[in-house]
Amino acid sequence: MRRQKTKSQGNHHHGRAPQFGQGIVEYVIILMFVGIAIVAIIQVLEPMIRDTFSRMVEQAALAPPSLSGFTPPPTPLPTSTTDPSITPSVTPTATDTPIPTDTPLVSSTPTNTPTPTDTSTPTITATPPFASCEYQEAGGLVVIEAENFASQTAGTGAGANNVWFATQGYSGYTANGAMIALANSGDNMGLTQNGPILNYSIRINTAGNYYMYVRGRAENGGADDSVHAGFNNNAITLSGTGFTGFNTAFAWRMWSAPVNLSPGQHTFNVWMREDGMIVDRVMLSTSSSVAANGSAVTGPATSAAPGGCAGAQPPTVTPTPSPVCAPTGALYAEVNFQPTSASVPTGYLVDGGQTFGSRGNGFTYGWNANNTGNTRDRNNGLSPDQRYDTLNHMQLGSAYFWEIAAPNGVYEACLTAGDPSYTNSTHVINVEGVTAVNFTPTNSNRWDEGFVTVTVNDGRITVNNGAGSSNNKINFIRLFTLSLATATPTPTPTDTPIPTDTPSAMGDILFVVGNTSLNSGDTAVYNQLLSLGYTVTVIDDSASTTSNSIGKALVLISSTVGSSNVNNKFRNVTVPVMLWEQALQDDMRMVSGNNRGTDNNETQINIVNSSHPLAAGLSSGLVTVVTSNRTFSYGEPNNNAIGIATIDNNSNRYVIYGYDTGAGMYNNLNAPARRLMFFLEDTTAANLNTDGWALFDAAINWVTN
């Protein structure tokens, strides 16, 4: 027992010293691990601690006492007390050395982290929000109508005079129209961003690589078929010729290199590269196969634009002149200046640039020199109609003026000048010396209309270049008769018949009408007489007297007269008389009683005496003399008359006949001078064709000789 106890005690004493040394080592190891843990915790919490400390320093009114040597920043302006849980709005304060922070204290927009991409794909970072609408990307797609732009930025440098305009003048557009780059005069910005810019506000919700698409067309083909595009005022397509290859029908084009877009607000920009380019829609997609190059499809539906905005900007009104023409007179003539091959506006006469002369349409007009080479038909979709699209130059290569024969009197003139494709003019145009148009065109005002009242004393209305004009261009003119000069009556001799000078082939013709504001038929006759070399005195039927015939080469009586206002005033004059008022034939003793009248819906006459000069060389038989159904006058003369032509279905009803001087007429009256009945009615002359006018000219020639 004793040995065991001693052994046990000895063993206990021997183990205490090793336990004491071993504890020291363990303490050291524990302290090392604690130190490592503290260092790790500090490293982890260091940004938070530093940020908290920074906030304390930044918001402190004075430097903490413990920061000896620190210069305190200026005291900030007082701010209202706010809930400490809400981050306050901080007013920036000037400091010598800004205190760095990892995260801004105040941020109006989320911080966007650019998505890593290949170097071949540019990365676009979002810009601050717009106040206007923004189109929402959804499913990697955003589609916008071109006319729904958020804003337009003016061109610079060579593009300072260019602009985008909304138009509905080109078939195939979607929604409300398309956008055309003006002035469509051959401008090319090349590899620059000088052209005017269409800006589209978009919101990208899904980061990714987006392909740019444009649906457009060219005004004239390859000469105006390109635009540049990009984001946030950075044209991505400057590495080439931009979006190009458009033709004269709307189709899609895609830029082959995608652009990496981060989530947030962006501006998609479309620059004019060549004017005349027309853009209908733009599209961004993460797919490169939404629309194939050259595809004419309209494409996906337009993207949404929330936030109380429909996303649509009403199309700019197509530039047109402000109408000022308010005529009160009777229409005299409407003339459109155009190539003869171009389509003709309804109701207008064509002027193709020929020199002054009879146009074969009852009017005599034209230029002082051949101007046919300067006519233009622009075929520009901006033109409201064909009248505005066609024109003739008045100062290209020479100074040209234009005239139209018209009876002396007072007229109203409505004149339009301009060019849908160019603005390189200063238009100053006079009518009878009165300035009708004086303006310089702009991209928003391509045409101007002038309205003036003028007096004609020389039988012609003259249109010429005004002082200060440059590159004048005339589109069309409308003329209205207010009043005509009346003949001055002379005393009536008592002897009967009335002696007159011997008529000659050329001279003054007395034209008796129902109204000196001539209708279309009388106007056509008047102009034809001028083209034949005659001067014409127009007189109202009720004002006419027998003595008015003295010295005249011919008395011409229109069917517009009231037969009772003329009656037998010119029955016995020894001046030739030609008429188409069928009710005067018996008063003139050319027919008996009521053997006279009119036939409606006629186009042909039957030539029965083709060998006579009055037949104008036309063959016997039916001849079409008007361009549409008209009313013809006729009479049934006696056998002493020279019959030339009859109504097509009645051989007794002569539409052209005459009595030679001395031939027996009715009631024992021999013709004092030649008398001739012609088939016209009130407006028939305005519709005579070439054969009809040939017969008219032959009648004038025969009766005056």
Side-chain angles (χ1 to χ4, degrees):
M1 292 282 304
R2 190 174 179 94
R3 287 177 61 92
Q4 181 67 33
K5 181 176 180 182
T6 302
K7 183 177 180 179
S8 174
Q9 289 177 342
N11 290 339
H12 179 72
H13 176 80
H14 178 77
R16 291 187 62 92
Q19 280 187 332
F20 177 80
Q22 183 178 3
I24 294 175
V25 172
E26 290 174 348
Y27 289 146
V28 171
I29 293 172
I30 291 171
L31 289 175
M32 289 176 60
F33 278 114
V34 170
I36 292 171
I38 292 172
V39 171
I41 292 171
I42 292 174
Q43 288 180 341
V44 171
L45 297 179
E46 186 266 343
M48 183 182 302
I49 296 170
R50 184 172 57 184
D51 183 59
T52 302
F53 182 75
S54 297
R55 293 187 187 215
M56 293 173 60
V57 173
E58 187 174 7
Q59 296 177 2
L62 296 174
S66 61
L67 299 178
S68 59
F70 177 80
T71 302
T75 303
L77 294 175
T79 58
S80 59
T81 303
T82 59
D83 187 336
S85 65
I86 301 175
T87 302
S89 175
V90 179
T91 302
T93 57
T95 61
D96 292 338
T97 303
I99 300 173
T101 60
D102 289 342
T103 305
L105 296 178
V106 181
S107 177
S108 58
T109 58
T111 301
N112 297 297
T113 303
T115 303
T117 63
D118 295 334
T119 56
S120 60
T121 303
T123 299
I124 306 298
T125 304
T127 56
F130 285 79
S132 58
C133 316
E134 57 183 45
Y135 282 84
Q136 300 287 311
E137 170 268 319
L141 179 70
V142 58
V143 184
I144 309 175
E145 296 293 335
E147 67 271 21
N148 294 347
F149 56 91
S151 64
Q152 179 175 174
T153 304
T156 59
N161 293 323
N162 299 104
V163 69
W164 287 100
F165 259 102
T167 178
Q168 295 178 333
Y170 300 90
S171 61
Y173 65 82
T174 59
N176 295 321
M179 300 300 297
I180 183 172
L182 296 177
N184 194 16
S185 56
D187 296 335
N188 189 325
M189 300 299 105
L191 301 181
T192 72
Q193 297 183 186
N194 288 339
I197 316 168
L198 293 173
N199 304 308
Y200 300 92
S201 179
I202 60 174
R203 178 164 290 278
I204 296 297
N205 299 306
T206 308
N209 294 332
Y210 285 80
Y211 292 90
M212 300 182 293
Y213 293 80
V214 172
R215 185 175 191 265
R217 60 163 287 177
E219 163 66 32
N220 298 309
D224 45 19
D225 65 344
S226 62
V227 291
H228 283 302
F231 295 89
N232 308 328
N233 296 317
N234 177 30
I236 304 297
T237 59
L238 290 180
S239 59
T241 56
F243 282 89
T244 190
F246 295 94
N247 55 33
T248 54
F250 283 111
W252 287 100
R253 293 285 171 186
M254 183 194 75
W255 187 252
S256 59
V259 180
N260 185 268
L261 297 179
S262 63
Q265 186 90 29
H266 296 271
T267 302
F268 181 56
N269 313 111
V270 176
W271 283 263
M272 182 207 89
R273 183 176 183 271
E274 293 178 275
D275 62 352
M277 175 64 192
I278 306 160
V279 178
D280 178 47
R281 310 184 85 196
V282 296
M283 177 169 62
L284 303 174
S285 176
T286 53
S287 170
S288 61
S289 58
V290 179
N293 278 335
S295 172
V297 299
T298 57
T302 302
S303 299
C309 176
Q313 176 165 325
T316 307
V317 177
T318 300
T320 56
S322 300
V324 297
C325 189
T328 58
L331 179 64
Y332 178 69
E334 295 176 310
V335 182
N336 194 57
F337 298 89
Q338 63 174 82
T340 54
S341 59
S343 60
V344 183
T346 302
Y348 277 75
L349 305 172
V350 173
D351 184 279
Q354 295 84 1
T355 55
F356 184 87
S358 174
R359 298 278 81 86
N361 55 15
F363 289 87
T364 299
Y365 54 83
W367 298 84
N368 61 308
N370 189 317
N371 199 20
T372 56
N374 291 328
T375 59
R376 300 289 186 269
D377 184 5
R378 295 300 192 196
N379 292 317
N380 190 318
L382 288 178
S383 303
D385 58 55
Q386 179 71 346
R387 299 173 303 165
Y388 296 90
D389 199 61
T390 52
L391 58 92
N392 202 348
H393 285 269
M394 299 181 68
Q395 294 175 302
L396 184 58
S398 183
Y400 297 94
F401 65 85
W402 181 85
E403 293 183 304
I404 183 170
N408 290 343
V410 181
Y411 293 84
E412 295 167 318
C414 300
L415 185 149
T416 297
D419 189 334
S421 299
Y422 296 87
T423 58
N424 57 342
S425 298
T426 299
H427 298 289
V428 185
I429 302 177
N430 300 331
V431 179
E432 282 296 299
V434 180
T435 301
V437 167
N438 186 349
F439 93 110
T440 299
T442 64
N443 282 323
S444 60
N445 184 16
R446 295 300 176 107
W447 299 272
D448 194 36
E449 180 179 81
F451 177 54
V452 294
T453 301
V454 300
T455 300
V456 176
N457 295 312
D458 61 353
R460 296 187 182 186
I461 298 174
T462 303
V463 178
N464 65 348
N465 299 300
S469 61
S470 173
N471 200 21
N472 269 338
K473 303 167 190 177
I474 185 171
N475 302 110
F476 58 95
I477 189 170
R478 303 167 65 209
L479 299 168
F480 302 84
T481 306
L482 281 178
S483 63
L484 296 181
T486 57
T488 303
T490 55
T492 305
T494 55
D495 296 335
T496 302
I498 300 169
T500 64
D501 295 334
T502 302
S504 60
M506 301 298 172
D508 189 16
I509 293 178
L510 180 69
F511 192 15
V512 186
V513 297
N515 191 325
T516 54
S517 293
L518 304 182
N519 72 0
S520 60
D522 288 346
T523 295
V525 169
Y526 178 89
N527 288 321
Q528 189 69 8
L529 294 173
L530 292 180
S531 72
L532 294 174
Y534 291 93
T535 57
V536 183
T537 300
V538 180
I539 191 167
D540 184 85
D541 54 359
S542 59
S544 66
T545 65
T546 305
S547 61
N548 294 143
S549 65
I550 297 175
K552 298 295 188 285
L554 174 66
V555 175
L556 202 61
I557 305 174
S558 168
S559 61
T560 59
V561 303
S563 58
S564 61
N565 291 334
V566 177
N567 203 323
N568 60 5
K569 290 178 182 178
F570 302 103
R571 177 196 295 168
N572 295 317
V573 298
T574 55
V575 173
V577 177
M578 175 175 166
L579 68 152
W580 50 91
E581 170 49 56
Q582 58 86 17
L584 284 178
Q585 292 177 87
D586 55 334
D587 296 315
M588 294 293 293
R589 301 293 189 256
M590 297 169 69
V591 300
S592 175
N594 292 322
N595 293 327
R596 53 181 170 73
T598 59
D599 268 6
N600 299 325
N601 299 319
E602 297 287 349
T603 60
Q604 295 181 315
I605 62 175
N606 185 28
I607 303 289
V608 296
N609 189 354
S610 62
S611 62
H612 196 278
L614 279 168
L618 299 176
S619 301
S620 296
L622 295 178
V623 176
T624 300
V625 292
V626 289
T627 57
S628 59
N629 288 344
R630 291 293 155 185
T631 299
F632 291 173
S633 300
Y634 69 85
E636 299 180 13
N638 63 29
N639 292 332
N640 295 322
I642 303 168
I644 302 299
T646 66
I647 289 288
D648 60 356
N649 58 2
N650 192 319
S651 60
N652 293 320
R653 295 178 174 180
Y654 280 84
V655 291
I656 302 176
Y657 71 88
Y659 290 96
D660 209 342
T661 304
M665 298 193 294
Y666 285 92
N667 292 14
N668 298 316
L669 179 65
N670 293 331
R674 284 179 169 174
R675 302 289 189 256
L676 189 138
M677 174 66 188
F678 202 71
F679 64 89
L680 300 179
E681 243 291 315
D682 289 1
T683 60
T684 305
N687 295 88
L688 288 176
N689 62 15
T690 302
D691 287 343
W693 282 116
L695 289 166
F696 180 87
D697 292 351
I700 295 295
N701 185 58
W702 180 82
V703 76
T704 56
N705 285 283

